[in-house]
């Protein structure tokens, strides 16, 4: 899947930090899509060799599916796109630190790296509550980069929940 909606189809060629910011902005676009549908605004993209191969956003309410987290959806689409379950070479960009389920899927799918924006103090499994990515008891480990566009990723979530609270108070 080419990155077609961002207006800039090519990631920066300079350094990893610029590339991480570029792809996190694409994940934030997915989070905006989720918010526009009334879903918790979490977005993800899966990148292989500098190209977005899949994207996803939170769809739990829409699909009535407890597994329809942004990164879970994006990983399933990546496997379909590549025609393989092993996602070796892939990096997952996600706006919120993955939960235990999603971190487990990343471990099972053999990704190389996960980059996330905001930490999740209530469910984060890649550094906050658990360290699934570096658990030596597991048969695969992957690297994690935390805090990329952290403020933007946290703000979209806090704004969404503030809006929900305001609507409930006004009812």
């Amino acid at each position: 899947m080419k990155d077609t909606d961002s207006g800039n189809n090519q990631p920066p060629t300079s350094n990893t930090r610029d590339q991480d910011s570029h792809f996190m902005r694409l994940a934030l676009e997915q989070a905006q899509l989720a918010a526009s549908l009334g879903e918790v605004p979490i977005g993800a993209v899966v990148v292989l060799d500098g190209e977005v191969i899949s994207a996803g956003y939170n769809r739990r309410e829409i699909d009535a599916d407890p597994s329809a987290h942004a990164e879970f959806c994006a990983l399933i689409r990546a496997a379909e796109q590549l025609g393989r379950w092993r996602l070796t070479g892939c990096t997952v960009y996600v706006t919120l630190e993955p939960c235990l389920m999603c971190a487990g899927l990343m471990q099972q799918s053999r990704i190389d790296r996960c980059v996330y924006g905001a930490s999740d103090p209530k469910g984060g499994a890649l550094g906050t509550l658990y360290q699934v990515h570096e658990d030596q008891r597991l048969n695969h480990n992957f690297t994690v980069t935390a805090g990329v566009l952290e403020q933007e990723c946290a703000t979209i979530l806090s704004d969404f929940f503030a809006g929900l609270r305001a609507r409930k108070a006004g009812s």
Side-chain angles (χ1 to χ4, degrees), residues 85-154:
W85 67 267
R86 288 181 193 265
L87 300 179
T88 305
C90 292
T91 298
V92 178
Y93 292 84
V94 60
T95 56
L96 182 66
E97 180 182 1
C99 69
L100 193 54
M101 174 185 71
C102 293
L105 183 60
M106 290 177 189
Q107 188 273 334
Q108 288 293 311
S109 63
R110 313 296 197 266
I111 67 160
D112 284 5
R113 184 170 176 243
C114 177
V115 178
Y116 69 83
S119 295
D120 184 356
K122 294 181 179 181
L126 295 183
T128 300
L129 299 179
Y130 306 96
Q131 293 77 36
V132 171
H133 62 291
E134 61 186 16
D135 189 326
Q136 295 304 309
R137 296 169 296 179
L138 301 174
N139 62 345
H140 175 74
N141 296 135
F142 55 95
T143 61
V144 170
T145 301
V148 174
L149 301 183
E150 182 175 15
Q151 189 58 51
E152 293 94 324
C153 293

Side-chain angles (χ1 to χ4, degrees), residues 12-167:
T13 55
S14 57
N15 64 33
T16 302
R17 181 181 212 137
D18 290 341
Q19 288 181 12
D20 286 351
S21 294
H22 169 77
F23 291 121
M24 188 61 71
R25 287 187 208 298
L26 299 180
L28 279 163
E29 289 177 10
Q30 293 295 308
Q32 288 286 2
L33 284 171
S36 73
L37 298 169
E39 290 279 359
V40 174
I42 302 168
V45 295
V46 179
V47 174
L48 177 64
D49 298 330
E51 182 179 323
V52 175
I53 58 169
S54 70
Y57 54 85
N58 195 32
R59 299 183 52 91
R60 291 191 313 170
E61 300 299 328
I62 294 167
D63 294 345
D65 180 351
S67 71
H69 291 198
E71 59 271 51
F72 206 97
C73 294
L75 284 163
I76 290 170
R77 286 188 189 110
E80 290 169 353
Q81 180 74 16
L82 296 173
R84 57 184 167 101
W85 67 267
R86 288 181 193 265
L87 300 179
T88 305
C90 292
T91 298
V92 178
Y93 292 84
V94 60
T95 56
L96 182 66
E97 180 182 1
C99 69
L100 193 54
M101 174 185 71
C102 293
L105 183 60
M106 290 177 189
Q107 188 273 334
Q108 288 293 311
S109 63
R110 313 296 197 266
I111 67 160
D112 284 5
R113 184 170 176 243
C114 177
V115 178
Y116 69 83
S119 295
D120 184 356
K122 294 181 179 181
L126 295 183
T128 300
L129 299 179
Y130 306 96
Q131 293 77 36
V132 171
H133 62 291
E134 61 186 16
D135 189 326
Q136 295 304 309
R137 296 169 296 179
L138 301 174
N139 62 345
H140 175 74
N141 296 135
F142 55 95
T143 61
V144 170
T145 301
V148 174
L149 301 183
E150 182 175 15
Q151 189 58 51
E152 293 94 324
C153 293
T155 297
I156 192 173
L157 285 162
S158 60
D159 288 353
F160 176 81
F161 286 114
L164 279 181
R165 286 190 295 277
R167 284 191 292 281

